[in-house]
Amino acid sequence: MPGQGSGHSAGAFDIRTVIALLFAIYGVVITVVGVVQPQSEIDKSAGVNINLWAGIGMLVFAAVFIAWARLRPIRVPDEVGEQ
């Protein structure tokens, strides 16, 4: 790929990292809620622990975004060209 070696990666400023962090935080919270949720609340949703499954889905989504950001980093040029 042209230009792959030039510049440095965006790192923490990559929007994929920010989105992954938000999904990971919400995923952990919802997964914990799903684990400690009483059975009466689960019965209201046809016996499916929606919070647990949604939390796990969010954690998987965050992991995919982190993997994407690590495998295909955005390169930022080191020098700004003269205009």
Side-chain angles (χ1 to χ4, degrees):
M1 290 184 142
Q4 178 111 5
S6 65
H8 61 278
S9 66
F13 298 108
D14 188 353
I15 190 68
R16 297 171 295 183
T17 306
V18 175
I19 291 171
L21 179 63
L22 289 173
F23 267 91
I25 291 169
Y26 287 131
V28 167
V29 170
I30 292 188
T31 301
V32 169
V33 169
V35 169
V36 299
Q37 192 169 13
Q39 186 62 38
S40 63
E41 294 293 322
I42 296 171
D43 292 339
K44 289 180 183 178
S45 61
V48 178
N49 193 343
I50 296 172
N51 286 332
L52 181 64
W53 286 107
I56 291 171
M58 287 181 173
L59 291 173
V60 169
F61 185 81
V64 167
F65 259 55
I66 290 292
W68 179 25
R70 298 283 178 183
L71 294 174
R72 305 270 314 204
I74 294 176
R75 295 289 176 188
V76 179
D78 287 331
E79 297 178 11
V80 178
E82 294 183 25
Q83 296 181 6

